[in-house]
Amino acid sequence: MPMTIALTVHIRRDAKVVTFPFTEYFQGFEHIEAVQRLFGAQTEEVLQQLRIELRSGRGYMGVSSEDGHLRINAQYLNTGRFIDLYLDIIHELVHVRQFLDGQELRDPHYTYVDRPTEIEAFQYTVAEARRLGLTEPQILEYLRTEHMSDEQFQRLTRAVKIL
Ligand SMILES: [Zn+2]
């Protein structure tokens, strides 16, 4: 459609996504062995430079496949269970490491529960949950989200070796 109407409005077109330092919301993760194993000597530097975007709407957390920043649902951060948030951060930090390694986080050849980057993140997180003493039923409860069908959930639990 040709633009024939002369508009006298101005639209500013230099919007940036607002992000905050990870360490403004998450403290002490540099002391967690599971985190240190991901980033080694760079642990503090990675966490210092990591940015988080607080979002509205639905969902939990994710890592941008463009620049590796963390996306977090603000309501989930404020009201979610502490242990869920902790384990989700471990999961997402695996993705941050994968991103820094140059891995493709959104490989469309795989569905979510079969994607190698997800399997690694889930396996890593389940190991941390076991270290903390969570029971297998508690871990299953943590892993179960409305995003997965029963069949996908079974594939995931097989992949992370929960029977
Ligand atoms: Zn993931």
Side-chain angles (χ1 to χ4, degrees):
M1 184 181 79
M3 193 63 78
T4 54
I5 305 167
L7 287 170
T8 56
V9 300
H10 176 71
I11 300 175
R12 194 175 144 191
R13 304 290 291 269
D14 62 351
K16 292 191 176 49
V17 174
V18 178
T19 61
F20 304 90
F22 174 81
T23 52
E24 258 184 38
Y25 287 85
F26 302 94
Q27 284 115 35
F29 280 77
E30 68 275 19
H31 304 304
I32 301 293
E33 201 214 320
V35 177
Q36 294 172 346
R37 265 189 284 123
L38 288 172
F39 303 113
Q42 275 80 54
T43 299
E44 279 198 35
E45 191 189 340
V46 170
L47 296 186
Q48 287 292 334
Q49 289 180 5
L50 185 59
R51 307 284 299 182
I52 64 169
E53 174 191 349
L54 299 175
R55 316 178 101 191
S56 62
R58 298 168 62 88
Y60 304 100
M61 296 188 194
V63 169
S64 159
S65 53
E66 278 97 60
D67 66 5
H69 80 268
L70 212 54
R71 298 190 174 112
I72 302 176
N73 181 304
Q75 199 197 346
Y76 175 54
L77 180 58
N78 292 336
T79 63
R81 289 194 312 172
F82 187 86
I83 187 65
D84 291 346
L85 290 164
Y86 173 80
L87 292 173
D88 279 5
I89 289 292
I90 299 296
H91 177 115
E92 298 307 331
L93 289 177
V94 173
H95 289 321
V96 169
R97 203 227 62 231
Q98 291 165 341
F99 176 83
L100 293 173
D101 285 349
Q103 292 186 52
E104 175 55 66
L105 298 182
R106 299 272 181 281
D107 190 335
H109 297 100
Y110 299 97
T111 56
Y112 178 68
V113 295
D114 302 315
R115 204 173 285 149
T117 49
E118 290 302 336
I119 303 276
E120 185 193 5
F122 278 116
Q123 284 176 338
Y124 202 83
T125 304
V126 166
E128 178 65 359
R130 287 184 177 132
R131 186 189 72 81
L132 292 173
L134 269 74
T135 63
E136 301 293 284
Q138 286 171 326
I139 295 172
L140 286 174
E141 190 194 341
Y142 162 70
L143 290 174
R144 184 87 227 217
T145 68
E146 66 278 15
H147 299 143
M148 290 173 214
S149 68
D150 289 349
E151 197 260 326
Q152 288 174 331
F153 184 62
Q154 277 180 6
R155 287 217 303 278
L156 176 66
T157 55
R158 240 176 281 135
V160 297
K161 296 186 175 57
I162 301 176
L163 303 171

